[in-house]
Amino acid sequence: MTQPNDRTVARKPSLDTQTILADAQRELALPSRRAFGKRVLTLGGLLMLTGCSLTDEKSVNAFLLSVSRMNDRIQAWLFDPTRLAPTYDEAQLTRPFPFNAYYTIDEVPDVDADGFMLQLSGLIKGKRSWTLPELYALPHAEQITRHICVEGWSAIGHWGGTPFSDFLRRVGADTSAKYVGFKCADDYYESIDMASALHPQTLLTFQYDGQTLPPKYGFPMKLRIPTKLGYKNPKHIMEIFVTNTYPGGYWSDQGYNWFGGS
Ligand SMILES: Nc1nc2c(c(=O)[nH]1)N[C@H]1C(S)=C(S)[C@@H](COP(=O)(O)O)O[C@H]1N2
Ligand SMILES: [Mo]
C-alpha cells in the first residue's frame, strides 16, 4: 500500500493520514466507485486533500461522508478483526474533548447512578441485569484513540472500561449471532456487527480521562469502538441485546451508512 511521505505527515498533525488513506484505498478499490474515484478522488488528490485541508472542514467532511457511504457488506467483508486503530499518548489528547449529540448539552439525559441496572436481552444466556458497582469490578482496560465524527471533526480521547468481547462471553452472548444492539437513555439506539463487537479495542467504557464518565460523554456508559465512526459509539447505554434481526440505528435509519467503519 502507498504510504504518505514524511512531509505530508508533518504538515498534517491532527487527522490520521494513514487511516484516511487506508479508507481511501478501500473506497477506490470498489468496482462501483472506481470510475468515479479515478476521475475525482485520485489517490494523489486524496494525498493533497488529507495533507492540505486541515483547516478546510468542508473537504474533510465530504471525504468522511464518502467513506461512510461505502456499502455495508463490502465494509464487513473488508473488516480485518486483527487490524488495530491507531493509539496515541496523553500529550496528544484533544482538550476539551468535544460534546456531541442530536440535541444540545442542556438536554443531556440525567441517569441516576443508584438505581441503575444495565438490561441484557436477546440471544444471551445470562440475562440478569448489572449494577454499576458490578460493572466497575470487571477487568479494566484503557485506551487513547481518535473519535471521528461524520460531521467533519475528530478528537483524541482517553477512555477506561472493560473489553466488550470479554463481557459478551462472560454473560453468555451468542457470539455467532449477527448483531449487537444498544438502547440508550435518550432516544438514541445503535447496532454493530458481531466481528466489530469482538474487536480487541472495542470497550464498554465507564470512565473518561481517569474519572467517572461525565453525563455529557455518556454516563453511565459509552461503547467506545475506535474502528467505527462516532455515531456508532452509543452513549447512555441502558440495554444491550444480541440478535440476528437487523436492528438499524438512529442515524443509519435516516440514511447514513450502517457499518460506519472509520
Ligand atoms: N445516546 C447517544 N449516543 C450518541 C449520540 C447521541 O446523540 N446519543 N451521538 C453520537 C455521535 S454522532 C457522536 S459524534 C458521539 C459524540 O460523543 P461525545 O459527546 O463524547 O463527543 O456520540 C455518539 N453517541
Ligand atoms: Mo458524530
Side-chain angles (χ1 to χ4, degrees):
M1 189 192 124
T2 313
Q3 294 295 328
N5 61 40
D6 290 347
R7 204 180 302 150
T8 310
V9 175
R11 256 192 292 135
K12 202 199 59 51
S14 96
L15 276 173
D16 199 280
T17 320
Q18 290 201 2
T19 310
I20 286 174
L21 286 174
D23 285 329
Q25 293 272 17
R26 286 193 265 167
E27 176 81 0
L28 292 172
L30 297 181
S32 59
R33 304 255 166 187
R34 213 167 273 156
F36 171 76
K38 287 239 167 78
R39 224 172 303 128
V40 188
L41 286 175
T42 62
L43 200 53
L46 276 166
L47 267 165
M48 278 183 58
L49 172 72
T50 53
C52 305
S53 66
L54 235 198
T55 52
D56 181 358
E57 228 175 89
K58 258 193 186 161
S59 1
V60 175
N61 194 20
F63 174 73
L64 291 172
L65 268 171
S66 82
V67 170
S68 85
R69 283 193 210 105
M70 279 193 290
N71 177 281
D72 288 334
R73 264 182 47 221
I74 293 175
Q75 283 192 73
W77 179 70
L78 285 167
F79 180 72
D80 176 352
T82 63
R83 176 177 169 253
L84 298 181
T87 56
Y88 303 86
D89 53 53
E90 202 73 27
Q92 292 169 292
L93 287 175
T94 305
R95 295 189 192 275
F97 191 83
F99 157 81
N100 195 33
Y102 66 88
Y103 41 77
T104 52
I105 198 156
D106 49 297
E107 289 172 82
V108 166
D110 177 23
V111 178
D112 174 35
D114 292 337
F116 179 81
M117 288 279 198
L118 173 69
Q119 307 297 321
L120 300 180
S121 62
L123 305 172
I124 295 178
K125 281 200 195 102
K127 276 197 201 72
R128 72 175 184 87
S129 41
W130 288 70
T131 64
L132 285 177
E134 287 173 327
L135 290 166
Y136 294 164
L138 290 168
H140 187 79
E142 306 252 335
Q143 81 174 221
I144 300 180
T145 49
R146 183 182 297 279
H147 171 115
I148 303 171
C149 177
V150 278
E151 289 173 85
W153 58 270
S154 80
I156 295 172
H158 178 190
W159 291 271
T162 200
F164 195 47
S165 61
D166 281 9
F167 182 70
L168 289 175
R169 292 191 176 104
R170 187 179 296 262
V171 300
D174 176 0
T175 54
S176 69
K178 284 189 185 154
Y179 309 106
V180 181
F182 304 87
K183 293 179 190 167
C184 307
D186 47 13
D187 285 333
Y188 207 77
Y189 56 99
E190 210 17 290
S191 63
I192 56 172
D193 55 295
M194 185 61 77
S196 298
L198 299 176
H199 185 277
Q201 287 174 310
T202 303
L203 302 183
L204 191 58
T205 66
F206 314 112
Q207 291 181 345
Y208 186 77
D209 208 10
Q211 309 293 317
T212 303
L213 203 63
K216 62 179 173 177
Y217 299 147
F219 182 84
M221 75 194 80
K222 172 182 183 165
L223 187 80
R224 179 60 195 133
I225 175 161
T227 53
K228 287 195 188 290
L229 293 166
Y231 64 89
K232 302 298 293 184
N233 291 238
K235 306 192 286 187
H236 315 290
I237 298 170
M238 304 299 277
E239 180 174 338
I240 299 177
F241 60 97
V242 174
T243 179
N244 282 308
T245 309
Y246 176 72
Y250 184 90
W251 289 112
S252 48
D253 289 352
Q254 296 175 54
Y256 280 82
N257 165 261
W258 175 78
F259 193 89
S262 73

